[in-house]
């Protein structure tokens, strides 16, 4: 039986409440901000900084998924649509205490004549997370050079999504569509499924 | 009637400055000098110059300044800054004695009064104004202080460097409009 959206919200809420080690939000935001500023000073190229933030996020994500699965004890998601729901309502909630809104868009596989409902299991389906608040970017104002250089301040989140989903056999691409720090209306991340990863036999085993 | 705000770092480097023309209709209190000024010389520079040269113009019944009276152009900046700088010494003296943050008016120069506000981090906010407005100024200083704190928390801001953020500027102006 598919878990409903409300149940996911409840799970997320419980996980957040049950987590005893919480951190001061200001300290968190200031630490992340200092990290980004340092990266900018080191690399001096905003595209490179974006890449590095994403890489860092990837490393975090690969480890984070284990913690998440252990605490939430959720089973395998039936389709990509459910992945989006779980990520938004349980994942983001339990780690950052925010619940981004999810907008799904599935690409119907060409072989099936799809009805009005979307079949979001195939590769190419995606969902967009709309964050109404971003704890990483409290108090941040981007200087002009960063705006022109194309810096995505919270790009680490994209890396986390990519890393964690890769560990559950999904290869995805996560990228920012818009960011309030850049003057856009809202902060949006699009996660696109590239393909499901087959279980690979480790090299060297028969 | 205008106000001039200066934010100075602990090492007295200017971080931010703002000139605000108040649209409030205020009775100018008859100070001995301002009432003696002929109507055309309403700039701070002229007032000071008149005083310095000891001129005594024909007595003028005190006039109400209304609307955003534009003060004379570039000349005034120098005088304003001179007044602000001169007040720094007085501020430092008062700082040692008083532990409160809002030091009311520390200095008076002809028609200009200098009020100061010292933050716990030793940032000096200096306001030059012509009229007495203690409560408004105190609220304004507190507002500016909060805005300054938020700017400090921005990771892209280096401590004690000039504040160039347009958001900060806009908010300070709005606050000035509200309280001054």
């Amino acid at each position: 039986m598919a878990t409903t959206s409300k149940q996911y919200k409840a799970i997320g809420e419980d996980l957040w409440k049950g987590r005893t080690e919480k951190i001061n939000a200001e300290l968190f935001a200031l630490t992340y901000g200092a990290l980004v500023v340092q990266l900018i000073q080191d690399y001096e190229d905003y595209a490179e900084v974006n890449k590095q933030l994403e890489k860092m996020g990837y490393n975090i994500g690969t480890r984070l998924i284990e913690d998440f699965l252990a605490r939430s004890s959720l089973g395998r998601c039936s389709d990509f649509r459910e992945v989006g729901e779980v990520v938004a309502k349980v994942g983001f909630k339990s780690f950052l205490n925010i619940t981004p809104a999810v907008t799904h868009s599935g690409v119907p596989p060409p072989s099936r004549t799809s009805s009005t409902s979307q079949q979001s299991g195939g590769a190419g389906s995606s969902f967009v997370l709309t964050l109404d608040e971003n704890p990483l970017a409290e108090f941040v104002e981007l200087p002009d050079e960063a705006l022109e250089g194309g810096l995505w301040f919270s790009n680490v989140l994209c890396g986390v999504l990519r890393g964690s989903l890769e560990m559950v056999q999904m290869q995805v691409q996560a990228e920012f569509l818009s960011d309030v720090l850049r003057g856009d209306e809202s902060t949006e991340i699009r996660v696109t499924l590239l393909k499901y990863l087959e279980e690979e036999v480790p090299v060297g085993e028969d | 009637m205008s106000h001039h705000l200066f934010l100075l770092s602990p090492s007295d480097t200017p971080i931010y400055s703002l000139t605000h023309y108040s649209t409030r209709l205020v009775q100018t209190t008859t100070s001995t000098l301002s009432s003696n000024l002929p109507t055309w010389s309403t700039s701070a520079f002229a007032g000071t110059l008149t005083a310095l040269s000891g001129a005594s113009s024909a007595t003028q019944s005190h006039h109400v300044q209304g609307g955003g009276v534009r003060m004379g152009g570039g000349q005034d900046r120098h005088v304003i800054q001179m007044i602000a700088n001169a007040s720094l010494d007085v501020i430092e003296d008062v700082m040692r004695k008083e532990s409160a943050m809002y030091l009311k008016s520390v200095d008076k120069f002809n028609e200009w009064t200098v009020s100061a506000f010292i933050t716990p981090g030793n940032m000096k906010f200096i306001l030059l104004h012509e009229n007495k407005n203690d409560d408004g100024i105190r609220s304004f200083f507190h507002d500016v202080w909060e805005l300054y704190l938020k700017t400090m928390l921005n990771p892209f801001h280096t401590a004690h460097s000039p504040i160039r953020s347009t958001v900060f500027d806009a908010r300070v102006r709005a606050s000035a409009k509200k309280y001054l």
Side-chain angles (χ1 to χ4, degrees):
Chain A
M1 193 162 86
T3 328
T4 63
S5 157
K6 249 199 215 147
Q7 285 173 304
Y8 281 139
K9 275 198 190 150
I11 296 174
E13 191 68 42
D14 286 338
L15 281 178
W16 172 254
K17 296 233 176 77
R19 206 174 263 279
T20 45
E21 338 78 34
K22 294 197 177 57
I23 187 179
N24 179 306
E26 264 182 39
L27 174 65
F28 181 58
L30 290 175
T31 308
Y32 183 69
L35 175 78
V36 175
V37 170
Q38 194 57 49
L39 280 177
I40 293 174
Q41 280 174 9
D42 288 344
Y43 286 99
E44 288 180 12
D45 170 30
Y46 291 104
E48 188 61 37
V49 172
N50 284 341
K51 242 202 289 177
Q52 291 299 323
L53 284 173
E54 213 265 351
K55 254 202 239 173
M56 285 164 48
Y58 178 81
N59 290 325
I60 296 175
T62 52
R63 295 164 230 285
L64 203 65
I65 186 72
E66 294 299 334
D67 181 51
F68 175 69
L69 290 173
R71 280 177 202 267
S72 68
S73 50
L74 286 170
R76 191 173 276 285
C77 291
S78 49
D79 56 15
F80 199 61
R81 186 191 192 83
E82 210 177 322
V83 172
E85 292 287 318
V86 171
V87 163
K89 298 198 167 62
V90 192
F92 271 87
K93 177 72 184 172
S94 62
F95 290 114
L96 290 173
N97 199 24
I98 55 174
T99 322
V102 201
T103 343
H104 301 273
S105 77
V107 174
S111 53
R112 303 168 72 163
T113 48
S114 56
S115 54
T116 45
S117 69
Q118 293 167 342
Q119 300 295 326
S120 46
S125 37
S126 64
F127 58 86
V128 175
L129 297 165
T130 310
L131 285 79
D132 53 2
E133 51 162 333
N134 186 356
L136 292 170
E138 293 280 342
F139 316 118
V140 176
E141 251 176 67
L142 290 184
D144 294 325
E145 315 90 54
L147 284 168
E148 282 162 33
L151 176 74
W152 294 116
F153 188 79
S154 318
N155 213 33
V156 74
L157 295 175
C158 294
V160 172
L161 289 167
R162 182 168 73 92
S164 50
L165 289 174
E166 191 163 306
M167 288 293 117
V168 281
Q169 270 74 53
M170 279 176 266
Q171 190 173 48
V172 300
Q173 185 192 13
E175 58 193 356
F176 267 92
L177 296 175
S178 62
D179 194 356
V180 287
L181 292 175
R182 285 226 200 159
D184 301 320
E185 295 270 316
S186 57
T187 311
E188 291 174 340
I189 304 177
R190 180 173 56 205
V191 183
T192 320
L193 177 66
L194 297 175
K195 65 175 184 193
Y196 284 103
L197 298 166
E198 296 300 322
E199 287 283 355
E200 282 174 8
V201 178
V203 178
E205 285 193 18
D206 287 321
Chain B
M1 172 210 12
S2 59
H3 303 266
H4 301 267
L5 173 73
F6 296 98
L7 304 192
L8 302 177
S9 76
S11 54
D12 290 342
T13 47
I15 305 287
Y16 178 76
S17 69
L18 171 73
T19 307
H20 166 75
Y21 299 113
S22 172
T23 49
R24 287 237 186 121
L25 212 67
V26 183
Q27 298 272 74
T28 50
T29 51
T30 47
S31 72
T32 45
L33 280 144
S34 61
S35 54
N36 287 338
L37 295 175
T39 23
W40 50 266
S41 64
T42 47
S43 69
F45 188 57
T48 316
L49 189 59
T50 320
L52 289 174
S53 61
S56 57
S57 338
T59 45
Q60 185 82 26
S61 56
H62 75 89
H63 51 278
V64 176
Q65 286 193 5
V69 179
R70 188 129 194 113
M71 297 299 175
Q75 290 177 317
D76 287 347
R77 284 312 285 174
H78 300 298
V79 181
I80 301 294
Q81 286 180 345
M82 183 197 86
I83 300 175
N85 280 314
S87 66
L88 287 178
D89 288 332
V90 186
I91 290 177
E92 285 192 14
D93 283 339
V94 181
M95 246 171 83
R96 271 180 218 122
K97 288 181 267 159
E98 278 229 34
S99 58
M101 284 192 291
Y102 175 44
L103 318 169
K104 294 195 188 55
S105 59
V106 295
D107 194 17
K108 199 156 164 45
F109 189 86
N110 297 333
E111 70 271 24
W112 292 99
T113 323
V114 181
S115 291
F117 182 93
I118 314 282
T119 69
N122 276 339
M123 280 283 294
K124 301 184 191 62
F125 300 168
I126 299 176
L127 185 70
L128 270 74
H129 55 99
E130 288 163 305
N131 298 77
K132 196 169 154 61
N133 187 7
D134 271 351
D135 285 328
I137 292 179
R138 176 190 285 119
S139 321
F140 176 63
F141 272 142
H142 273 281
D143 250 17
V144 173
W145 186 32
E146 277 179 34
L147 292 169
Y148 164 72
L149 286 178
K150 293 210 178 90
T151 311
M152 277 289 126
L153 287 170
N154 181 12
F156 288 99
H157 182 262
T158 18
H160 304 159
S161 64
I163 299 178
R164 290 209 181 82
S165 150
T166 37
V167 176
F168 177 76
D169 191 48
R171 290 205 183 122
V172 171
R173 279 177 203 277
S175 173
K177 223 186 229 177
K178 198 164 126 192
Y179 291 116
L180 298 175

